[in-house]
């Protein structure tokens, strides 16, 4: 077994990060891209889904992030604000690849120190390294995918599955089923549904579908001549579910052509 020794150079490149809020009095979620320069500087942004000004509303807030980072030899590291030595976030190495110059980190876990001020949530996340040569666009979503989503913060629990088909040029279709409240609080029911429409993938691997009602971030890819095909993406729904106020987030993975 290789006994890796990590340094700041082990974290080099851009990571797609999906974050969730634990606890708190309202759901929190965020998708972002943060880049490590290999020498101790980190920068990027998070698009946060926050509780809105009135009940049942959500708002999206883009928050820039810039600071410094340190990595211990054992794979634990810290993020620090630009002008302070105070620890803003702890990170841990989760997946590694071998390079002649030392270990390269493909996946990290993150725990931020302070609670999100809008929701009171403890912010945790996972980041996946982006291939530097990857090109993104609508062709990045092509084939059949399975999604799993959980609704947080509603009056009653909700969860659902969906099978999606992407055509590689901007059209999608979906069949889904969700477990929601029945006629009383104690009763549950499966509710089938369908959806179809347009999707758009930007050149940084972020995107929207269903008329902008869903925001997504491609997290894992396979490459063909530099073109990225999404093997996995994370998403969050812009608006809460009307019937109970749940905020849905989830993960979608490619299963076939």
């Amino acid at each position: 077994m290789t006994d890796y020794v990590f340094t700041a150079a082990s974290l080099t490149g851009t990571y797609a990060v999906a974050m969730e809020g634990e606890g708190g009095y309202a759901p929190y979620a965020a998708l972002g891209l943060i880049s490590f320069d290999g020498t101790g500087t980190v920068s990027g942004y998070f698009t946060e889904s926050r509780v809105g000004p009135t009940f049942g509303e959500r708002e999206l807030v883009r928050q820039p992030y810039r600071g410094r980072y340190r990595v211990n030899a054992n794979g634990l590291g810290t993020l620090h604000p630009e002008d302070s030595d105070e620890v803003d976030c702890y990170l841990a190495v989760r997946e590694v690849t071998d390079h002649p110059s030392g270990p390269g980190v493909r996946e990290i876990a993150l725990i931020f120190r302070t609670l999100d001020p809008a929701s009171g949530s403890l912010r945790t996340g996972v980041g996946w390294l982006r291939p530097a040569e990857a090109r993104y666009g609508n062709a990045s979503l092509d084939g059949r995918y399975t999604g799993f989503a959980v609704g947080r913060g509603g009056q009653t629990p909700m969860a659902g599955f969906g099978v999606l088909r992407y055509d590689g040029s901007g059209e999608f279709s979906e069949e889904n089923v969700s477990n929601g409240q029945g006629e009383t609080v104690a009763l549950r029911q499966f509710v089938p549904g369908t959806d179809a429409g347009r999707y758009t993938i930007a050149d940084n691997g972020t995107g929207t579908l269903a008329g902008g009602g869903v925001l997504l971030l491609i997290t894992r890819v396979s490459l063909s001549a530099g073109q990225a095909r999404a093997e996995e993406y994370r998403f969050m729904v812009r608006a809460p579910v009307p019937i109970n106020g749940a905020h849905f987030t989830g993960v979608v993975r490619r299963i076939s052509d």
Side-chain angles (χ1 to χ4, degrees):
M1 183 174 65
T2 303
D3 188 10
Y4 293 112
V5 177
F6 298 96
T7 68
S10 303
L11 275 178
T12 303
T14 298
Y15 290 74
V17 178
M19 293 177 57
E20 296 279 359
E22 302 296 334
Y25 47 83
Y28 169 91
L31 302 173
L33 295 169
I34 56 174
S35 298
F36 298 86
D37 71 351
T39 63
T41 298
V42 56
S43 61
Y45 71 90
F46 296 102
T47 299
E48 300 179 327
S49 175
R50 294 178 171 272
V51 61
T54 61
F55 178 78
E57 289 188 2
R58 305 287 302 181
E59 60 182 6
L60 297 177
V61 180
R62 180 162 168 152
Q63 295 284 359
Y65 192 89
R66 185 169 179 83
R68 296 172 294 106
Y69 72 95
R70 298 167 184 165
V71 180
N72 297 332
N74 64 1
L76 290 178
T78 52
L79 306 183
H80 306 260
E82 284 186 288
D83 56 355
S84 172
D85 284 332
E86 187 174 14
V87 176
D88 181 44
C89 174
Y90 255 91
L91 66 84
V93 171
R94 284 169 51 112
E95 187 176 332
V96 179
T97 56
D98 290 309
H99 294 292
S101 58
V105 178
R106 295 182 58 183
E107 184 178 312
I108 55 176
L110 303 162
I111 301 177
F112 283 82
R113 180 178 61 85
T114 60
L115 301 180
D116 172 58
S119 67
S121 300
L122 176 64
R123 295 168 295 160
T124 66
V126 179
W128 298 266
L129 180 64
R130 288 286 190 77
E133 69 275 26
R135 301 191 309 272
Y136 298 89
N138 286 353
S140 297
L141 284 178
D142 185 15
R144 187 169 60 176
Y145 293 73
T146 297
F148 173 67
V150 175
R152 301 175 184 271
Q155 297 172 339
T156 59
M158 293 188 71
F161 293 115
V163 176
L164 301 101
R165 173 73 70 175
Y166 291 95
D167 70 354
S169 61
E171 299 284 344
F172 82 94
S173 61
E174 177 185 8
E175 296 182 26
N176 56 62
V177 61
S178 61
N179 182 309
Q181 183 177 325
E183 295 180 357
T184 68
V185 173
L187 293 177
R188 307 294 298 181
Q189 61 179 342
F190 285 112
V191 180
T194 60
D195 197 6
R198 297 283 302 172
Y199 72 90
T200 302
I201 305 298
D203 59 7
N204 64 357
T206 63
T208 61
L209 63 146
V214 177
L215 283 75
L216 66 89
L217 174 66
I218 294 174
T219 50
R220 291 182 180 272
V221 301
S222 57
L223 295 179
S224 177
Q227 174 65 51
R229 170 181 267 186
E231 300 297 334
E232 176 187 280
Y233 69 80
R234 304 293 170 121
F235 71 91
M236 56 188 184
V237 177
R238 182 185 292 268
V241 177
I243 60 173
N244 78 344
H247 180 243
F248 267 93
T249 61
V251 56
V252 176
R253 290 177 178 162
R254 185 173 177 275
I255 57 175
S256 73
D257 290 332

